[in-house]
Amino acid sequence: MIEFENVSYTYPGGPTAVKEVTLKIGKGESIGIVGHSGAGKTTLAKLAAGMLKPSRGRVLIDGLDTRDIPVSELARRVGYVYQNPEMMLFSSTIRDEVAFALKNFGYEGKEVEGRVIQALKSVDLNKPLESSPHTLSFGEKHRLAIACVLALEPEVIILDEPTTGLDYARCVALFNTLTKLNSQGSSIVVISHDTDLLARFTKRILVLEKGSIVRDGPSKEVLRDIDFLTEHGFVPTQLQILASRVGKCAPTPEEVAKAIMYCKPVQQR
Amino acid sequence: MGGLSVRLRDLYARYSVSADWVLKGISLEVREGEMLVVMGPSGCGKSTLLYIVAGLLPWVIPGVVKGEASVGGIDVAKEGYRGLVGRVGIVFQNPEMQVIAQSVYEELAMVPENLGLPKNEVIERVEWVVNALDLGKYLAKNPQSLSGGEKQLLAIASVLTMRPKVLLLDEPTSMLDHRGTRLVLDTISLLKREYGLTIMAAEHRVEWAVEVADRILVMHDGRVMLEGEPEELFSRVEEVEKYGVRPPGASEVAYELRRAGVKTPIPVRLRDALRVYGL
């Protein structure tokens, strides 16, 4: 459980990126964070992961102030995947990269190997374990970075724009993996511009604007509110508009198709 | 203004900073006045493709290019960007990189002045683009005070003062909000319709692409995976799914309907979907 108590964050000599945010992220939640560039999404996520400490207010992870928890303890509880995977990769082989934190956490031998293989499998990265992370493409590096965090099975997994550089099939596969982890009890927090995928795979949406949360509600409700989205400068997707036309609160292709079948006759060309 | 054709044959490219080929044998032809949207995830090579057609790679950006590239018969590989001045204009993803002057007028006059055109011709070209894109209301403003969409529009306008025959757009709306995106999309449609420009745009958002494209090219890892007119391309459901291409939401709904046994055409644009689905 992560709690924000009236949290503000000002970058040294820079702008106040997060302003007076009060928020609870409960166990087993799946949350999407949306907002324009500069809205404070990454700052909020880093505060939640304890990587940044609030300028004002408190962030509590399982009741402990992030200012007081040692980094090693934080990493067990909250995993954070950077938008730029280069920030996370430093080992000379893929195996060492994924195994690094596992070994630090005291895992050994077969347990490490098993988790490495499982984590790489869940992100569909089929490169030789002995190859260097630096020979990978951007998309592959991103998947490796995600695998490093997944291997630790933290209670909360925060991903900053995880779909960058992924094709659609891999985006869906990634969200399926996250959904599976979520159903096993992990909380998932995903920053993304892709409101269609968030509507499909998350249950709650936070909309950030200029450092404040301007909307916090069920994904299916927030992401079909065309007026709200347009007013706040988001481009409503085809699915969102179609969903709003059929009065459906679940903007997924399946749900919209069902609504069309049962409520409206399909015009034949 | 009219357009010129673009022809690429068996094109390979890489940047000096890496030994990996970014383009791995691309062949394609863009007709005069056609709008081709190149799609694919980041890193698939779509920007690189534009840099080659603009004569920037390897002339300004260090790298290696193999194969043939020509614009209206001009050999880009041989002439580089110098041979394309006045023919090919490129607009980058981030308008902040391209908008530099203190006034909108200065910004617009910069390209024709740098081309060494006489003053009356400079004025005439600025006036033309101001009228064509309805920029009168911005003329007195400082470009830095404009919104993202307005800046991107200005970046496109300054390139147009070159009177290019081919316009290259690298994810022109990725930094923009709803209003800005609409503004830029409408402008692109106008340029195609009224002036017959050949346009190549890199874009990863499919719903943007199907609105304006005559043809869509889907790239992956430096190769062309799929290619076709929007409706035709997204009616190839099996291939679309096999290559992991994201269909527009309107088409995804049709796929689901068909899966449920409903006979329906596959719309790609919102307006067609609303009509087909009777909404």
Side-chain angles (χ1 to χ4, degrees), chain B residues 3 50 94 104 110 125 130 159 166 201 204 207 211 224 250 279:
Chain B
L50 299 187
N94 186 350
V104 168
M110 199 176 304
R125 287 195 179 195
V130 166
V159 167
V166 179
H204 68 268
E207 295 185 5
E211 283 242 353
V224 175
L279 300 174

Side-chain angles (χ1 to χ4, degrees), chain B residues 97-169:
Chain B
M97 286 172 62
Q98 235 164 335
V99 174
I100 47 175
Q102 291 302 307
S103 79
V104 168
Y105 182 88
E106 271 177 57
E107 186 68 47
L108 294 174
M110 199 176 304
V111 171
E113 276 172 359
N114 281 338
L115 288 174
L117 297 172
K119 197 161 173 59
N120 59 339
E121 171 91 25
V122 172
I123 295 172
E124 193 214 311
R125 287 195 179 195
V126 172
E127 280 176 355
W128 170 78
V129 81
V130 166
N131 286 329
L133 302 189
D134 196 17
L135 300 173
K137 53 187 173 294
Y138 305 123
L139 272 184
K141 290 194 178 175
N142 181 326
Q144 301 312 323
S145 71
L146 300 177
S147 74
E150 291 164 345
K151 272 186 195 160
Q152 191 60 283
L153 198 59
L154 182 58
I156 294 173
S158 350
V159 167
L160 290 177
T161 59
M162 191 204 280
R163 300 267 165 100
K165 309 282 184 198
V166 179
L167 182 62
L168 307 173
L169 304 163

Side-chain angles (χ1 to χ4, degrees), chain B residues 137-211:
Chain B
K137 53 187 173 294
Y138 305 123
L139 272 184
K141 290 194 178 175
N142 181 326
Q144 301 312 323
S145 71
L146 300 177
S147 74
E150 291 164 345
K151 272 186 195 160
Q152 191 60 283
L153 198 59
L154 182 58
I156 294 173
S158 350
V159 167
L160 290 177
T161 59
M162 191 204 280
R163 300 267 165 100
K165 309 282 184 198
V166 179
L167 182 62
L168 307 173
L169 304 163
D170 192 4
E171 305 222 17
T173 66
S174 66
M175 313 284 281
L176 308 181
D177 66 5
H178 184 48
R179 243 184 82 242
T181 302
R182 200 65 264 166
L183 198 61
V184 170
L185 288 187
D186 290 345
T187 303
I188 292 169
S189 303
L190 174 108
L191 290 172
K192 210 177 79 162
R193 199 176 55 238
E194 299 287 320
Y195 302 98
L197 277 183
T198 305
I199 304 176
M200 287 175 75
E203 177 59 47
H204 68 268
R205 286 180 298 179
V206 66
E207 295 185 5
W208 184 108
V210 295
E211 283 242 353

